[in-house]
Amino acid sequence: MGTEEKNSVKILEELGAKPSESEEHGLSLISDSDLAIFSPGISTAGFAEVRMARGNPRRHIIATTIDREGLDFAENIIRDVGLQNQIEAKLEDVRNSEYPVNTFDFIHARLVLHYLSAQDLDKVLSKFASFLKPNGRFFAVVRSEKNINSDDPNVSFNPDTRLTTYPNYDPSGSVESNSTRYFHTPETITAHMETAGLKVSGLQEYEEQLYKDFMRREISPTKDHVIELVASK
């Protein structure tokens, strides 16, 4: 780990950030020559993007989200560490992303693609593939179908969209809200990548301890099954 990376980690630790396994994997793949990076689904508080920027002062990162609160929070962190000229954070739905062909060296899409239906995912990945420069690389992390509790009668699955709707329970056991995701298998996410013309070069599935808050101070009580994939154009 270089001096800049050590300083970056120290700053984030002081802010209260904790590292994430899959995020560390994605950041470790970024090389010095990756100067244009697209990060759809900005990381909690923009911590990953801050570390990308600090890794190379010539690097420019476009980071997007549909969460206005999360965007405001991340922008404040980015300004606090003086990296607003390198990190362009903006409100954007990945389904509406539009960038010139061959723009990015690297795409970092961690825990964002599983919000899309099968149909939208194919469209988005096709666009993302066009955004990548020749030989550009794509890092993605999605939630696995191993997270689904098939015994829960409140869980429903739409075979057309491949979306699963599941309940979020409060401490008393009552349903307080519902969430919807496309829970993947290694085969499904690989198939979508290949349909978009991307070549999968690495894939692994594991459990990861995630956090409940922007500053990663409150750890999730359960582990998530995630699928991590690396592809190239």
Side-chain angles (χ1 to χ4, degrees), residues 11 15 42 45-46 50 54 68-89:
I11 287 175
L15 291 170
I42 191 170
V50 165
R54 289 183 63 85
R68 166 55 71 182
E69 182 183 3
L71 177 65
D72 291 344
F73 196 90
E75 286 183 319
N76 287 334
I77 296 292
I78 291 164
R79 281 193 296 269
D80 286 346
V81 295
L83 293 171
Q84 62 271 28
N85 291 332
Q86 280 185 262
I87 304 171
E88 180 183 349

Side-chain angles (χ1 to χ4, degrees), residues 1-215:
M1 183 181 291
T3 301
E4 285 296 315
E5 182 67 3
K6 288 180 181 177
N7 291 339
S8 175
V9 172
K10 186 175 185 296
I11 287 175
L12 300 187
E13 286 176 349
E14 290 172 354
L15 291 170
K18 304 296 189 303
S20 157
E21 182 177 357
S22 63
E23 188 169 277
E24 295 302 308
H25 292 172
L27 293 174
S28 71
L29 294 171
I30 299 173
S31 68
D32 287 341
S33 61
D34 293 326
L35 300 181
I37 297 177
F38 181 39
S39 184
I42 191 170
S43 67
T44 50
F47 290 144
E49 291 74 18
V50 165
R51 291 176 64 187
M52 292 175 197
R54 289 183 63 85
N56 189 325
R58 297 185 297 129
R59 184 172 288 149
H60 182 74
I61 301 105
I62 295 179
T64 66
T65 180
I66 59 171
D67 178 5
R68 166 55 71 182
E69 182 183 3
L71 177 65
D72 291 344
F73 196 90
E75 286 183 319
N76 287 334
I77 296 292
I78 291 164
R79 281 193 296 269
D80 286 346
V81 295
L83 293 171
Q84 62 271 28
N85 291 332
Q86 280 185 262
I87 304 171
E88 180 183 349
K90 59 184 184 178
L91 203 65
E92 179 178 277
D93 189 319
V94 295
R95 292 171 294 186
N96 300 324
S97 296
E98 294 293 343
Y99 299 97
V101 171
N102 301 334
T103 295
F104 300 107
D105 300 295
F106 192 94
I107 293 178
H108 181 278
R110 177 177 172 269
L111 300 177
V112 62
L113 299 178
H114 50 228
Y115 290 105
L116 301 172
S117 68
Q119 295 79 9
D120 283 340
L121 182 56
D122 281 334
K123 294 175 184 176
V124 166
L125 288 179
S126 179
K127 289 202 295 183
F128 282 13
S130 75
F131 300 161
L132 274 177
K133 294 178 182 178
N135 301 314
R137 288 167 302 144
F138 192 135
F139 173 79
V141 180
V142 294
R143 282 185 165 85
S144 164
E145 69 171 12
K146 292 179 180 178
N147 292 298
I148 301 172
N149 179 4
S150 57
D151 295 327
D152 189 333
N154 294 312
V155 173
S156 62
F157 175 71
N158 185 320
D160 294 325
T161 62
R162 306 291 297 174
L163 292 172
T164 295
T165 299
Y166 60 96
N168 301 300
Y169 296 99
D170 63 22
S172 70
S174 298
V175 176
E176 60 180 1
S177 64
N178 286 290
S179 299
T180 301
R181 304 281 189 279
Y182 179 170
F183 290 104
H184 284 272
T185 65
E187 292 77 17
T188 61
I189 188 61
T190 296
H192 283 290
M193 288 283 180
E194 291 177 344
T195 296
L198 295 161
K199 297 171 287 189
V200 176
S201 57
L203 187 147
Q204 59 179 321
E205 187 171 5
Y206 53 91
E207 288 184 305
E208 179 173 24
Q209 195 86 50
L210 302 175
Y211 296 87
K212 297 172 64 177
D213 62 315
F214 287 143
M215 292 298 289

